[in-house]
Amino acid sequence: MNPWFETVAEAQRRAKKRLPKSVYGALIAGSERGQTIEDNQRAFTELGFAPHVAGPIGERDQSTTVLGQQLSMPVMISPTGVQAVHPDGEVAVARAAAARGIAMGLSSFASKPIEEVIAANPATFFQMYWCGSKDEILERMERARAAGAVGLILTLDWSFSHGRDWGSPVIPEKLDLRTMLKFAPQTLVRPRWLATYAKSGHIPDLTAPNMAVGGGPAPGFFGAYGEWMGTPPPDWADVRWVCEQWDGPVMLKGVIRVDDALRAVDAGVAAISVSNHGGNNLDGTPAAIRALPAVADAVDSQIEVLLDGGIRRGSDVVKAVALGARAVMIGRGYLWGLAANGQAGVENVLDILRGGIDSALLGLRKTSVSELDRGDIVVPEGFERALGVPVGGGGFDTETSEPVDNGVLVESASP
C-alpha cells in the first residue's frame, strides 16, 4: 500500500484498519449519544464560500503568529493524552510539527516527558488541567518552564462524562502479562501495529510522566485522571493565579460562552480556544464553530482567539479564520496520521491541510490568510450560537465571577 494518503478521512480509515479495536475506539469516542462530536463536523458543512472569479494570483501566504510563535499556517497541534497509537507518540508528533513549521501542544497526560518533546520542537506549549494542590500545580509549571515551554494551555472544558451510547473504550491501567493476554485477541489481528512496537523494543507506555511530583514515580493514566477528578474545579480567581504564576502567555482552552470569554480577559489570559473538548465534554454543547463569531466579537482583539473541534480539511481552517479565529488546533486528525504512518503520517495530515488552505485562498482570490473575513463565508440563518451575552453592563469581578455595573446575561441563537 502506498504510505501516502490524500485526505484526513483516508488517514482515519487506515488508522481503523491498523489499530486494535479498543485503541481506535478511544480516538473516535465522544460523550453520551455523540451529539456534540457530530455537530462539530456537521456545522462546517453548513458553511459555504463566496468565491471571486478574478483577482490577485500568485503565491499565497498562510503564515501567522500565535502567542508570539511564528506558524507557517494557522494550525497548531492540540494536546491529547497518551498517544500510544505509535511507539514514538508525542515525540513523533512534535518532530512532524517542527518539520512543517507549526507549534506543538503537549498534554500533561502525555506518554512522553516534556523534555523530550521540547527537544523535538522548541515551539511547545504545555497543557495543564487543574489537578492536585496548588503546590503540585506549581511544581509542574516549574518543570515546564525549566524545560523551555513557550506557554501554558489551561484546559477547563471537561466535566468527566463517561457514558457513551456505543460503549466506552477499554483502556488498561498498565500493560502487564495478564493484561496483554486479555487484549491478545484484539492485538493479534493487527499484526502491523504489533510489528511496529516489536521493532521499537518496548510495549505501549500508559503512564503520565509529566504528572509526577515530589520526586515520586509517574502515575498511570487513570491514576492521573483520578487525581484530576478528585480535585475541586477552579474558579476565576484560580485562573488569574495561574496567569500570575507563569511568566509567559497562558491560553484558556474550553470557552464556548461570551461571558466566560470576557471573564478570561479580566483574569489575564493571553488567548482562548473556543472548544467543547472535541465532543468529550457535556453532550449537547453546540459546535465550537457556531459559538466562535460571538466570542471573537466580544473580546474584540483584546486577546487572541483560536478554535478546536471538527477540523478535517483545509477549507475548515479557512472558515474558522474567516469567522474570527487566529488559528485552529487539531486533535483526532493528526492522531489518525500518527497511527497510519508515524511521523510521516502526521506530516501527511499537515500537508493535506496546507493544500486545502491554499486551494480555498485561491478560490477566494486571497493572497494571505490575514485577508480573510466574514464576507468570504456564507453563513445560513440560525447557524450561530451567541451564548451568555452580557447586556446592560460591563465586565466581571474576577474574585466573585459576577457581572458588574448591573450586567445581565442572555442566551440567543443568531442575532
Side-chain angles (χ1 to χ4, degrees), residues 292-375:
L292 173 64
V295 170
D297 285 345
V299 302
D300 192 25
S301 302
Q302 296 177 80
I303 58 175
E304 297 178 12
V305 177
L306 289 85
L307 174 136
D308 67 85
I311 300 292
R312 300 292 186 270
R313 297 165 183 82
S315 59
D316 297 338
V317 179
V318 170
K319 290 172 182 177
V321 173
L323 292 182
R326 178 178 288 265
V328 305
M329 296 199 291
I330 62 168
R332 289 180 175 90
Y334 78 77
L335 289 174
W336 292 328
L338 179 65
N341 196 25
Q343 177 182 337
V346 180
E347 292 174 2
N348 194 159
V349 166
L350 295 176
D351 289 343
I352 289 167
L353 295 179
R354 186 186 303 277
I357 294 169
D358 188 69
S359 294
L361 290 176
L362 177 60
L364 294 168
R365 296 298 189 265
K366 302 288 184 177
T367 59
S368 170
V369 293
S370 64
E371 297 175 0
L372 293 167
D373 59 42
R374 296 184 192 181

Side-chain angles (χ1 to χ4, degrees), residues 16-73:
K16 184 176 183 179
K17 289 182 180 180
R18 189 180 186 93
L19 294 174
K21 182 179 180 180
S22 60
V23 178
Y24 177 72
L27 297 188
I28 64 169
S31 61
E32 297 185 340
R33 65 179 293 178
Q35 178 180 343
T36 295
I37 191 173
E38 291 175 2
D39 195 34
N40 273 345
Q41 297 176 67
R42 182 176 60 246
F44 280 102
T45 71
E46 296 177 19
L47 294 170
F49 287 115
H52 292 283
V53 296
I57 58 174
E59 186 175 353
R60 288 157 293 282
D61 182 13
Q62 299 187 22
S63 65
T64 190
T65 60
V66 170
L67 297 179
Q69 299 302 305
Q70 186 71 35
L71 308 183
S72 66
M73 60 177 169

